């Protein structure tokens, strides 16, 4: 993963958020679920409330999330797109105010997508797909347990699992 290899969490979180703001297509649904789950994990494990910034704000130029030995380092490769994707827009869009709230939103979306795409067939040819589907859902539920436990929402946790 780009974020872990280069220790630039601020830029990685910003990039993940940018990808998730793009209007979804059928071909990007699995990627979107993976990125949402990974971003939720970063928000829960790697970001404290003091270093959190709103998804609608620009990321801080200097962040305690980043590796201090790599400040000022830029990647030589530029992965920007020549044609920008359409972004979701409108009035009264929900914007999380803290990292656990954003992680919880991402995980609930991921849970919905995992349930929708669950492989339930017992046919032997679908065995690998069923295992992958179960693993994906398990990761989401583990992270949901962490997020809901931090917020003390045990009743909601019992309804989700």
């Amino acid at each position: 993963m780009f974020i872990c290899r280069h220790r630039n969490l601020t830029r990685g979180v910003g990039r993940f958020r940018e990808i998730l703001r793009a209007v979804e297509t059928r071909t990007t649904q699995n990627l979107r679920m993976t990125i949402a789950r990974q971003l939720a994990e970063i928000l829960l494990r790697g970001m404290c409330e003091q270093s959190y910034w709103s998804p609608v704000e620009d990321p801080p130029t200097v962040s305690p999330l980043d590796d201090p030995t790599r400040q000022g380092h830029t990647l030589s490769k530029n992965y920007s797109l020549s044609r920008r994707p359409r972004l979701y827009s409108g009035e009264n869009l929900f914007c999380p105010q803290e990292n656990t709230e954003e992680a919880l939103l991402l995980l609930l979306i991921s849970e919905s997508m995992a349930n929708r795409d669950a492989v339930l067939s017992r046919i032997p040819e679908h065995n690998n797909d069923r295992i992958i589907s179960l693993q994906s859902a398990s990761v989401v539920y583990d992270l949901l347990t962490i997020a809901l436990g931090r917020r003390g929402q045990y009743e909601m946790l019992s309804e989700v699992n």
Side-chain angles (χ1 to χ4, degrees):
M1 178 173 25
F2 167 82
I3 296 170
C4 293
R5 277 197 305 255
H6 296 287
R7 297 280 187 227
N8 189 336
L9 289 175
T10 304
R11 194 152 99 211
V13 167
R15 184 72 176 130
F16 275 5
R17 286 174 171 171
E18 181 182 341
I19 292 168
L20 291 171
R21 274 195 304 265
V23 174
E24 183 175 330
T25 65
R26 181 73 180 135
T27 58
T28 62
Q29 287 178 345
N30 287 337
L31 175 65
R32 180 178 293 273
M33 186 173 75
T34 301
I35 289 175
R37 190 178 64 232
Q38 288 177 345
L39 178 55
E41 189 169 0
I42 291 166
L43 292 168
L44 290 172
R45 292 185 179 189
M47 183 183 287
C48 65
E49 291 178 18
Q50 292 78 21
S51 60
Y52 181 79
W53 73 95
S54 171
V56 294
E57 298 172 357
D58 289 330
T61 53
V62 177
S63 173
L65 295 176
D66 300 332
D67 184 350
T69 61
R70 299 192 61 89
Q71 291 296 329
H73 175 71
T74 58
L75 294 174
S76 58
K77 297 179 183 177
N78 183 4
Y79 295 107
S80 61
L81 301 172
S82 59
R83 205 174 103 200
R84 306 301 299 168
R86 278 187 351 176
L87 300 178
Y88 286 109
S89 61
E91 292 184 32
N92 300 321
L93 294 177
F94 175 76
C95 184
Q97 299 301 309
E98 46 122 352
N99 58 339
T100 307
E101 191 174 81
E102 182 175 356
L104 187 55
L105 174 65
L106 291 166
L107 290 169
L108 289 172
I109 291 168
S110 295
E111 185 224 4
S112 172
M113 293 173 83
N115 285 337
R116 181 193 64 211
D117 297 335
V119 177
L120 303 176
S121 174
R122 298 299 235 163
I123 299 172
E125 295 88 44
H126 293 147
N127 191 39
N128 284 342
D129 292 335
R130 195 172 54 251
I131 290 169
I132 291 169
S133 176
L134 176 63
Q135 289 173 338
S136 179
S138 293
V139 170
V140 170
Y141 285 123
D142 289 346
L143 292 169
L144 267 170
T145 301
I146 293 168
L148 291 169
R150 282 187 184 173
R151 296 183 64 89
Q153 295 180 338
Y154 304 110
E155 185 178 329
M156 185 176 181
L157 180 60
S158 68
E159 291 173 10
V160 169
N161 289 325

